[in-house]
Amino acid sequence: MELALAHPAIKAFMCGSLSGTCSTLLFQPLDLVKTRLQTLQSGGSARVGMVTVLQSVVRTERLLGLWKGVSPSFVRTIPGVGIYFSTYYSLKQHFFQDSSPRAAEAVLLGAGARAVAGVVMLPVTVVKTRFECGRYSYRSVLGALRSMCQTEGPAALFSGLMATLFRDVPFSGMYVMFYSQTKASLPEEIRRSPSAPLANFGCGILSGVLASLITQPADVVKTHVQVNPRLRTAEAVRYIYTEHGFRGYFRGAVPRSLRRTMMAAMAWTVYEQLMARLGLKS
């Protein structure tokens, strides 16, 4: 009853948070493998692939080691996805209440929502990356935040800000554009059929693959900046190219594409179904 009386933006926040919780728990191992691949040192590691890293983590840290960093992932994703979808809903209702956004407008809509959520949740994103890379021995999210402030200063909480925005804002903008356009191209009978959520999930997968590959270099740079606090964005770009060549910018592309694609597709599908059940247009 209380949720039924809540403001639509709050409903969008709740739906987004729930969808983010489900997808984060399922796909956290892929994020950990992606981070480990991106932070491998050179010198024989160029041939190390996703399966090798996966086996190494299970062998040395057991199966639950694949979910290392899930605590900061939850702290980041539950409010972060909620902020993203509530901002997205509010912007869409304000600017496109009586019409559907065109391709360029969908890019701006997704990019704006992601910029807000990305900046707000960046300190937890930094902690999550450090948990996953295996180089830090933080015991909790709060302990990590406190340690970073004491040893590196508050600015460390926002390390990789530009690389994060260069990755997340274009990803979200392109994802929303691809997703809205592919959904609009579906035949009317599919959109109104019981299999519509499955068709929307397929549209989400296609959109996620395209957006992930385009923004992969920014993700690699972001990881290096957040793991190595002395590196600036431009220095990280040069370091990656010097150590690994052009291919270094696409390290971890497979696990990231799998995770981002499946997470985004699931989050959007669950979000839209929950919003529909609450009688709101997503």
Side-chain angles (χ1 to χ4, degrees), residues 117-273:
V119 171
V120 171
M121 301 309 300
L122 185 60
V124 185
T125 303
V126 177
V127 172
K128 179 189 78 73
T129 303
R130 293 191 177 192
F131 261 92
E132 292 170 352
C133 76
R135 298 183 188 176
Y136 296 85
S137 55
Y138 300 132
R139 294 183 178 274
S140 67
V141 176
L142 285 176
L145 292 170
R146 191 181 304 114
S147 174
M148 289 168 64
C149 285
Q150 290 174 348
T151 59
E152 303 169 39
L157 299 177
F158 290 90
S159 59
L161 173 61
M162 295 309 298
T164 301
L165 292 178
F166 279 133
R167 178 198 65 170
D168 288 350
V169 172
F171 175 89
S172 184
M174 285 183 286
Y175 183 90
V176 172
M177 179 192 70
F178 290 138
Y179 184 64
S180 60
Q181 296 301 303
T182 51
K183 266 182 61 179
S185 68
L186 292 173
E188 188 67 24
E189 56 268 24
I190 292 180
R191 279 188 276 173
R192 295 185 178 277
S193 71
S195 61
L198 185 61
N200 293 344
F201 190 79
C203 293
I205 289 176
L206 176 62
S207 305
V209 169
L210 294 172
S212 291
L213 291 176
I214 293 170
T215 57
Q216 177 63 23
D219 183 67
V220 178
V221 173
K222 185 266 324 176
T223 298
H224 277 272
V225 172
Q226 291 179 345
V227 171
N228 304 293
R230 293 184 181 86
L231 276 182
R232 295 183 180 274
T233 301
E235 293 170 341
V237 171
R238 288 194 297 270
Y239 171 80
I240 294 165
Y241 185 78
T242 302
E243 290 290 313
H244 310 291
F246 184 74
R247 291 176 62 184
Y249 296 114
F250 290 89
R251 272 191 161 192
V254 173
R256 176 175 180 258
S257 293
L258 284 172
R259 174 185 170 274
R260 286 302 294 262
T261 296
M262 299 300 289
M263 277 192 71
M266 176 179 283
W268 274 90
T269 302
V270 172
Y271 166 75
E272 290 177 336
Q273 293 304 303

Side-chain angles (χ1 to χ4, degrees), residues 13-116:
F13 179 90
M14 298 297 293
C15 292
S17 296
L18 182 57
S19 68
T21 302
C22 299
S23 55
T24 296
L25 185 60
L26 281 174
F27 303 118
Q28 173 63 22
L30 289 172
D31 199 35
L32 180 134
V33 171
K34 181 266 301 183
T35 302
R36 295 288 176 94
L37 279 171
Q38 291 178 351
T39 55
L40 282 172
Q41 300 297 320
S42 60
S45 64
R47 296 181 182 178
V48 174
M50 176 179 160
V51 176
T52 305
V53 172
L54 199 64
Q55 292 173 337
S56 174
V57 173
V58 173
R59 187 170 56 251
T60 59
E61 304 172 45
R62 300 189 179 183
L63 187 63
L64 287 178
L66 293 172
W67 275 267
K68 193 172 186 178
V70 74
S71 296
S73 286
F74 275 140
V75 173
R76 168 180 173 260
T77 303
I78 293 174
V81 177
I83 292 169
Y84 171 77
F85 277 118
S86 59
T87 305
Y88 173 84
Y89 177 84
S90 299
L91 290 173
K92 190 175 181 182
Q93 289 300 303
H94 182 76
F95 292 106
F96 306 105
Q97 190 168 12
D98 301 319
S99 62
S100 297
R102 294 189 291 270
E105 294 168 337
V107 171
L108 294 175
L109 200 58
R114 178 54 62 193
V116 172

